[in-house]
């Protein structure tokens, strides 16, 4: 599981940072990629990576501001041109379905794969045997959601040495036991998989905050996350501006991480007003509050 930052800037692209888009690479877990936001130029950023658009299975949109959605129509079209045939689902706030439909219709873009757009108002937006994705409404100038990605706990490691000692040879029985099943030996003895499994492996939690002011709802988003990806549009000294423009500061993000037992904080959505040494200042002031903080740059890939 990797996080790949395709765009880490706020509002408009700059020479150093493209606008918002973050990929969650789940290639080992499910052979796919999930995309969070798709600002203008996202597909250009993808060209500098090993990410394949046809591998994108889901796109989660935090809110409807242009720097988070203007790259979506182009990416959808390119995915079709590049051989993508698998279904794709888009999750987001009200308005995202109309935006996608209008863009594809007026540009006469015909996709070669089925697409489903799911508009929601928070809560669990996706769940299967591996993951749960929750959307939490935050505070911005228009409805903006944070996404909490919860990997379900995995079964413990099969104790093969104990099975061998019990005279059970490797084969299909091991797979059945690993899945928690029960097998019957020739002498009638029942062997329960649960008795030969180690402790369950706790799933990982990734929290991705869309554009937001500091608000109580962020607690539910961030609690005990392995990684919190949080906007840091402004420095700690610019708290008043952050509030007025419905954004957060580096220090507010760091305090959230500290108070909610986050393992690692990654700051993104950096305003172009901060250049050179000022960018180092943003990281330093956050690390004084929460030492395990990184400041994202375009094309940074982090293993979780």
């Amino acid at each position: 599981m990797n996080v790949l930052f395709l765009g880490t800037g706020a509002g408009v692209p700059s020479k150093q940072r493209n606008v918002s888009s973050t990929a969650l690479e789940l290639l080992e877990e499910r052979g796919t990629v999930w995309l969070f936001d798709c600002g203008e130029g996202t597909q250009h950023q993808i060209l500098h990576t090993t990410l394949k658009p046809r591998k994108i299975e889901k796109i989660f949109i935090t809110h409807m501001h242009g720097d988070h959605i203007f790259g979506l129509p182009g990416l959808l079209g390119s995915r079709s041109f590049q051989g993508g045939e698998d279904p794709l689902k888009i999750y987001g706030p009200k308005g995202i379905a109309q935006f996608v439909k209008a863009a594809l219709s007026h540009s006469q873009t015909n996709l070669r794969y089925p697409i489903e757009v799911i508009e929601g108002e928070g809560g669990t937006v996706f769940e299967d045997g591996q993951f749960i994705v929750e959307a939490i409404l935050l505070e911005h100038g228009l409805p903006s959601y944070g996404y909490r990605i919860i990997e379900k706990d995995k079964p413990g490691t099969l104790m093969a040495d104990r099975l061998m000692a019990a005279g059970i040879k490797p084969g299909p029985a091991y797979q059945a036991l690993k899945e928690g099943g029960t097998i019957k030996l020739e002498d009638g003895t029942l062997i329960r998989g649960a008795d030969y499994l180690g402790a369950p492996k706790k799933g990982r939690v990734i929290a991705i905050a869309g554009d937001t002011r500091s608000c109580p709802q962020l607690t539910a988003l961030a609690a005990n996350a392995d990684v919190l990806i949080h906007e840091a549009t402004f420095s700690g000294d610019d708290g008043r501006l952050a509030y007025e423009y419905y954004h957060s500061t580096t220090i507010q993000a760091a305090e959230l991480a500290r108070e909610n037992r986050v393992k690692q904080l990654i700051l993104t959505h950096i305003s172009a007003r901060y250049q050179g040494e000022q960018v180092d200042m943003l990281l330093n002031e956050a690390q004084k509050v929460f030492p395990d903080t990184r400041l994202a740059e375009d094309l940074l890939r982090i293993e979780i």
Side-chain angles (χ1 to χ4, degrees):
M1 182 186 293
N2 299 308
V3 173
L4 172 62
F5 292 91
L6 298 170
T8 60
V12 296
S14 67
K15 292 182 179 180
Q16 291 75 32
R17 298 177 185 275
N18 198 51
V19 286
S20 294
S21 185
T22 303
L24 179 62
E25 298 178 313
L26 302 169
L27 299 178
E28 291 187 9
E29 290 76 10
R30 57 198 294 133
T32 61
V33 175
W34 293 356
L35 200 64
F36 292 82
D37 287 332
C38 190
E40 178 185 356
T42 293
Q43 63 173 318
H44 292 271
Q45 295 290 85
I46 289 174
L47 294 175
H48 299 286
T49 74
T50 57
L51 192 155
K52 305 298 182 185
R54 67 176 181 272
K55 291 286 187 179
I56 298 174
E57 172 193 24
K58 300 180 184 299
I59 300 176
F60 298 87
I61 300 298
T62 61
H63 65 290
M64 294 295 294
H65 276 154
D67 59 322
H68 294 255
I69 64 170
F70 282 167
L72 188 54
L75 178 63
L76 295 178
S78 294
R79 185 179 187 268
S80 188
F81 298 146
Q82 294 169 4
E85 296 180 349
D86 294 330
L88 183 145
K89 291 186 178 181
I90 300 172
Y91 304 80
K94 288 183 177 180
I96 189 63
Q98 183 180 2
F99 173 77
V100 171
K101 181 179 179 180
L104 296 180
S105 174
H106 289 297
S107 63
Q108 297 187 29
T109 301
N110 297 310
L111 304 182
R112 298 180 181 179
Y113 54 89
I115 185 172
E116 182 179 359
V117 183
I118 302 167
E119 296 184 343
E121 296 181 348
T124 298
V125 297
F126 170 75
E127 181 174 4
D128 67 0
Q130 289 180 298
F131 290 94
I132 301 172
V133 181
E134 298 173 345
I136 298 173
L137 183 63
L138 305 177
E139 291 185 12
H140 196 46
L142 76 179
S144 181
Y145 291 89
Y147 289 101
R148 182 175 171 91
I149 304 97
I150 305 163
E151 182 184 33
K152 293 185 176 180
D153 294 348
K154 299 177 181 178
T157 303
L158 189 67
M159 300 176 183
D161 54 343
R162 286 185 55 200
L163 290 171
M164 291 287 287
I168 305 169
K169 297 180 180 180
Y174 276 34
Q175 184 62 37
L177 293 171
K178 187 174 182 180
E179 294 173 355
T182 300
I183 64 171
K184 188 175 183 179
L185 303 183
E186 292 182 0
D187 63 3
T189 302
L190 294 178
I191 302 295
R192 298 173 61 250
D195 296 333
Y196 290 87
L197 290 174
K201 183 179 179 181
K202 185 170 178 56
R204 293 157 287 188
V205 176
I206 302 96
I208 301 176
D211 291 8
T212 183
R213 282 175 176 167
S214 179
C215 62
Q217 302 92 294
L218 284 164
T219 296
L221 179 74
N224 300 302
D226 291 274
V227 176
L228 169 62
I229 300 170
H230 198 293
E231 71 128 291
T233 311
F234 293 96
S235 73
D237 293 335
D238 290 328
R240 182 175 177 180
L241 278 176
Y243 183 83
E244 291 176 353
Y245 288 97
Y246 293 91
H247 284 293
S248 298
T249 70
T250 54
I251 292 177
Q252 288 169 341
E255 289 174 341
L256 177 71
R258 181 188 63 192
E259 293 167 3
N260 289 279
R261 300 170 298 282
V262 168
K263 291 182 181 178
Q264 184 178 25
L265 169 66
I266 307 175
L267 302 177
T268 187
H269 203 267
I270 309 301
S271 171
R273 70 174 57 211
Y274 305 105
Q275 299 289 332
E277 294 181 356
Q278 291 178 313
V279 176
D280 296 330
M281 175 269 293
L282 296 177
L283 178 59
N284 291 336
E285 63 184 15
Q287 288 179 332
K288 289 178 181 179
V289 177
F290 187 75
D292 199 354
T293 300
R294 295 186 68 171
L295 196 147
E297 298 177 353
D298 285 16
L299 308 184
L300 172 68
R301 178 183 272 110
I302 295 177
E303 182 178 353
I304 300 177

